[in-house]
Amino acid sequence: MWRALGGSGHLIGELLARDGAAPWLAGSAAVNLAGLALSMASWRSTVTGLGSPLSWGPTCQIFGATVLGKYLPGPFWSALAGVHLGRRHGVTTQRMVTAYVLNSVVVLLTAAVVGALAAPRVMGDGAWWLLPVALALAALLKKPGVIVRAAGRTARLLRRPVPDLRVADGDLRRAVVWEVLSWLVGGAHLWMIAVVLGAPVTESLTLCVGGFALAAAAGAAALVVPGGAGVREVVLMVVLTADLPWAQAGAAALASRVCCTVTEIVGAGAALLAVRWARRGQDTDGVAAEVPRAV
């Protein structure tokens, strides 16, 4: 993050100093937190569909750790964090790994679909080729078991053991819906930043929401880069130039990175701390109950 902001601090400073910017930027952080919460609901639905329903306390703890894990280099830290904490709550390693894989597929597919919102502004008449992506989402909502069958075929082609995937269609369908809502809500944070920088209020909404989804998917595909740093910003800048000059597009991309990093670290960290404090409170109450009262 420090390297990404190097030499660009004045752009962020100018953004914060603009008249009326504070409410828009505060709203940007709030909607991004809401998008993160919706994504957590999607992950929870996936785990539930695999046969391991979790209450919200363990869900916050496991999902918060996986969010923080993505800021480490390499693609496996989030999965390892989920496996480690999942065992504590009675979820087997195989189910946690399966949930991680299925959720990753759902995230990337829904990001591609929501990203189509930006295609007409960026690609013009060439956006027609994204239609199959929307059709794929419709097929997934109707028959979500397609993901499971695809995973089995992939395992056979790679000559690996076929995983025993039994996912409830209703839960997987809900996971897709929650994730689409996550992109729509979370992507609005970029729109609020772009408006502060001078983007048209109405016309830029679909551009920013779709562009953010595409950029996040591109960043997730760059497995060796922590949090997709750099990759996501380049995609965002290219998309935002449809409404903003290059310098303002760069400032918006950097501000989006700051907003996402801060809200993810604060949100995930707060979830982990809240679960820990709640557990300490329960332990304290249990000890107090065991102390005999004086007669």
Side-chain angles (χ1 to χ4, degrees), residues 56-66 85 88-89 271-272 275 279:
W56 283 109
T59 297
C60 290
Q61 185 182 38
I62 299 171
F63 185 80
T66 59
L85 292 174
R88 293 185 179 182
H89 299 287
L272 291 171
V275 172
R279 184 175 298 168

Side-chain angles (χ1 to χ4, degrees), residues 101-102 105 109 140 143-158 160-163 165 167 172:
V101 173
L102 289 177
V105 172
L109 179 61
L140 180 61
K143 295 184 177 181
V146 170
I147 291 180
V148 177
R149 290 192 290 272
R153 292 192 183 100
T154 302
R156 293 188 187 94
L157 288 174
L158 297 176
R160 300 294 178 86
V162 178
L165 299 179
V167 189
L172 194 53

